[in-house]
């Protein structure tokens, strides 16, 4: 059974990477991925990526805000922006026949925004709503705190605008950020259901306004700090991590397998989570409800690996200690072949299922094209996963146990251990 | 009058415009042409979009003129706004507002 053929990823002289896949679907999906995530924000412009996320519908040199909105809606398309700590992704989906129309708007938005002062100041209420919604979620709070505590620079920048910057991000700051980071050497143009030649032509003609690599981002410096946020309530969300491996390194896959050995979320609704070593160990330590999974985040030059636990306030100490000690158990070689194979299968299944639909496939092609300049077929990825040995996983666990830890927790911290007690 | 050269016609037109500007009289109150434009919705929107320093200058000139008119006075001759120095600061914003409104109307009509 053959995989769909994908066009080879092309790299233009300007540095722009182009990838496409013909999926014979009536709906196309085109996107521009830019290496301009929150890690590239400078100290005086923290939060500018959050505002840029909201500013995708603003007037550009080629089209007014009104025209962008009505033009895209008139063809039944949809323009959306999402940011990770490393990438900004502008995506537009539409029916195959209307690609030209939406492509025009996409190019305008990514290369020639005007950031008119009165339009930018109208974004402030939306900014406040976004921040308020994010503050409702304890998980988001813990993850943002975790990154702020773990890194000295770059990755410590939050995805959300800090409170003191709301209303203070000027169009000048936005222009500077775009000038420095939205350069063709840091962009990838990806299309599903689009002709590769069409994308190439668009890339050559329009997406070379700012060539080169822009300002070089700094290397992420891990410092392993701790941030505790006492918010009361009955639960405790805690994350304990250590620096793991960069996405391009050989160990990255091993950390992925280790994550599934420990347990990466329930696979059966309302089940007992019997394959998760974390859950099994913690359920012996406490009868109170809890949730624990391994946390694995990989970035281009670093990564975080550890455990994320949600527990009742009283049992937080037990839950966190047992979770960390489970990783220690694996570090001591306590890893059966059955566990290893089960974890590999789960990781493979997770990846393959994620590329089943067009959003997941688009993400996979886009991130690979942007970071490595090439796309690995699912077969190549599954082979890479299969090649992980028991030793690799044990070494990954050892790296966690011996590495400097970083911790973030929030909730009712009456019985939550400090980082030096773990 | 038939065979005037273009340069001469230009000169004449300029002289006439300058005379008309001075005859209007608002320059004696220290105002600029765009301070006196009637505020319909388009103009109101354009004023809303002015950068802060420009808006503050406009407000100052209008207040000074109101004060002078209350006292039935005018500025000394050396402070009158000169025709050559009159800057039409509102025009770019006004043009943009009108263009946007026309675009919306075009769209509704379709």
């Amino acid at each position: 059974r053959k995989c769909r053929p994908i066009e080879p990823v092309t790299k233009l002289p300007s540095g722009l990477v182009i990838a496409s896949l013909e999926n014979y679907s009536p709906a196309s999906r085109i996107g521009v991925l830019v290496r301009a995530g929150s890690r590239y924000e400078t100290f005086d412009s923290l939060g500018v990526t959050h505002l840029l996320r909201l500013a995708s519908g603003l007037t550009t040199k080629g089209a007014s805000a009104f025209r962008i909105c009505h033009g895209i809606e008139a063809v039944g398309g949809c323009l959306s922006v999402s940011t990770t700590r490393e990438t900004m992704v502008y995506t537009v989906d539409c029916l195959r026949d209307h690609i030209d129309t939406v492509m025009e708007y996409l190019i305008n938005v990514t290369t020639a925004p005007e950031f008119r002062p009165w339009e930018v100041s109208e974004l402030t209420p939306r900014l406040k709503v976004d921040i308020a919604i994010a503050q409702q979620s304890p998980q988001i709070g813990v993850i943002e705190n975790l990154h702020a505590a773990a890194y000295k620079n770059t990755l410590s920048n939050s995805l959300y605008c800090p409170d003191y910057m709301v209303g203070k991000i000027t169009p000048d700051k936005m222009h500077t950020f775009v000038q420095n980071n939205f350069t063709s050497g840091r962009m990838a143009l990806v299309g599903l259901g689009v002709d590769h030649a069409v994308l190439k032509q668009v890339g050559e003609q329009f997406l070379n306004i700012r060539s080169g690599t822009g300002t070089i981002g700094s290397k992420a410096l891990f410092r392993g700090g701790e941030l505790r946020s006492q918010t009361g309530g009955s639960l405790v969300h805690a994350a304990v991590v250590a620096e793991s491996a960069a996405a391009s390194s050989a160990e990255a896959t091993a950390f992925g397998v280790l994550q599934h050995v420990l347990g990466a979320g329930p696979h059966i609704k309302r089940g007992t989570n019997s394959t998760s070593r974390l859950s099994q160990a913690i359920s012996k330590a406490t009868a109170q409800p809890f949730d624990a999974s391994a946390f694995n985040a990989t970035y281009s030059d670093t990564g975080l690996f550890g455990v994320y636990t949600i527990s009742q306030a009283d049992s937080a100490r037990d839950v966190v200690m047992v979770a960390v000690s489970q990783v220690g158990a694996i570090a001591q070689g306590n890893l059966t072949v059955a566990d290893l194979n089960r974890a590999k299968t789960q990781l493979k299944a997770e990846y393959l299922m994620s590329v089943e639909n067009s959003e997941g496939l688009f993400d996979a092609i886009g991130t690979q094209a942007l970071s490595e300049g090439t796309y690995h077929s699912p077969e190549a990825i599954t082979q890479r996963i299969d090649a992980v040995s028991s030793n690799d996983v044990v070494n990954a666990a050892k790296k966690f146990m011996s590495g400097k830890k970083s911790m973030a927790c929030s909730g009712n911290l009456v019985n939550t251990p400090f980082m030096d007690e773990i | 009058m038939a065979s005037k050269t273009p340069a001469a016609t230009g000169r004449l037109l300029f002289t006439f415009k300058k005379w008309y500007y001075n005859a209007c009289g608002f320059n004696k109150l220290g105002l600029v042409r765009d301070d006196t434009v009637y505020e319909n919705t388009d103009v109101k929107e354009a004023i809303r979009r002015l950068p802060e320093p420009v808006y503050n200058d406009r407000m100052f000139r209008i207040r000074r003129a109101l004060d002078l008119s209350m006292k039935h006075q005018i500025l000394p001759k050396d402070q009158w706004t000169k025709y050559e120095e009159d800057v039409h600061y509102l025009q770019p914003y006004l043009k943009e507002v009108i263009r946007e409104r026309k675009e919306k109307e075009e769209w509704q009509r379709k």
Side-chain angles (χ1 to χ4, degrees), chain A residues 64 66-67 70-71 74 116 118-119 122, chain B residues 45 48-49 93 96 99-100 103-104 107:
Chain A
S64 70
F66 176 85
R67 205 172 126 222
H70 283 68
R116 295 181 172 179
W118 55 92
E119 291 185 348
E122 278 170 17
Chain B
E45 173 64 22
R48 189 185 74 91
R49 294 182 181 189
Y93 299 94
E96 187 58 28
R99 187 194 71 82
E100 286 179 11
E103 190 183 35
K104 281 196 179 83
W107 199 273

Side-chain angles (χ1 to χ4, degrees), chain A residues 125-375:
Chain A
R126 285 173 63 187
L127 198 62
K128 291 185 182 159
V129 169
D130 256 7
I131 295 175
I133 293 178
Q135 282 169 346
Q136 297 287 347
S137 159
Q139 283 91 340
I140 295 183
V142 169
I143 306 274
E144 297 298 308
N145 279 348
L146 185 67
H147 283 84
Y151 291 100
K152 286 187 186 175
N153 58 0
T154 64
L155 290 171
S156 68
N157 294 343
S158 171
L159 287 170
Y160 296 93
C161 185
D163 284 329
Y164 73 90
M165 285 298 280
V166 172
K168 297 210 175 51
I169 302 178
T170 60
D172 277 334
K173 289 198 167 87
M174 296 167 84
H175 274 298
T176 319
F177 187 81
V178 169
Q179 291 297 333
N180 290 340
N181 295 291
F182 278 53
T183 58
S184 44
R186 290 157 71 141
M187 284 198 204
L189 179 61
V190 182
L192 289 184
V194 194
D195 194 30
H196 197 85
V198 166
L199 280 186
K200 208 159 159 238
Q201 192 187 24
V202 167
E204 277 163 0
Q205 273 187 300
F206 299 111
L207 281 178
N208 57 358
I209 301 201
R210 284 172 221 103
S211 54
T213 50
T215 46
I216 312 290
S218 344
K219 180 153 173 23
L221 298 168
F222 183 84
R223 73 172 169 100
E226 179 182 9
L227 259 178
R228 295 165 73 89
S229 163
Q230 172 68 26
T231 55
S234 59
L235 295 178
V236 173
H237 288 249
V240 180
V241 298
E243 196 175 15
S244 63
S248 45
S249 75
E251 305 162 299
T253 331
F255 276 103
V257 175
L258 178 58
Q259 183 189 17
H260 280 82
V261 168
L262 288 166
H267 293 278
I268 298 181
K269 276 193 207 173
R270 298 178 266 279
T272 52
N273 223 346
S274 58
T275 55
S276 159
R277 294 217 5 197
L278 285 175
S279 293
Q280 293 306 304
I282 298 176
S283 54
K284 294 195 185 82
T286 174
Q288 291 184 325
F290 68 91
D291 187 22
S293 60
F295 180 86
N296 186 16
T298 22
Y299 301 103
S300 57
D301 57 352
T302 175
L304 291 175
F305 181 88
V307 291
Y308 188 102
T309 58
I310 306 177
S311 49
Q312 306 297 313
D314 300 325
S315 52
R317 180 169 294 269
D318 296 327
V319 171
V320 172
M321 304 296 255
V322 170
V324 174
S325 67
Q326 264 305 294
V327 190
I330 297 183
Q332 286 164 351
N334 205 338
L335 177 68
T336 64
V337 174
D339 268 345
L340 180 68
N341 288 336
R342 189 245 325 143
K344 283 190 193 174
T345 318
Q346 281 175 336
L347 183 58
K348 280 188 278 190
E350 187 189 72
Y351 179 75
L352 291 173
M353 285 191 226
S354 77
V355 296
E356 286 257 297
N357 60 21
S358 67
E359 285 98 359
L361 183 57
F362 179 86
D363 274 337
I365 298 179
T367 38
Q368 287 179 39
L370 189 63
S371 52
E372 300 171 47
T374 174
Y375 174 64

Side-chain angles (χ1 to χ4, degrees), chain A residues 3 16 53 58 74 93 106 126 146 224 305 312 357 375 410 420:
Chain A
C3 191
L16 179 70
R53 260 202 313 278
L58 261 40
D93 351 52
L106 182 65
R126 285 173 63 187
L146 185 67
F305 181 88
Q312 306 297 313
N357 60 21
Y375 174 64
S410 84
D420 52 5

Side-chain angles (χ1 to χ4, degrees), chain A residues 13-54:
Chain A
S14 61
L16 179 70
V17 178
I18 304 192
S20 75
L21 172 64
E22 183 55 82
N23 57 4
Y24 303 108
S25 152
S28 305
R29 194 182 181 91
I30 310 166
V32 176
L33 292 92
V34 193
R35 238 177 276 144
S38 60
R39 73 177 285 170
Y40 298 104
E41 287 174 357
T42 57
F43 225 72
D44 57 349
S45 67
L46 292 176
V48 72
T49 48
H50 190 178
L51 202 58
L52 280 173
R53 260 202 313 278
L54 298 173

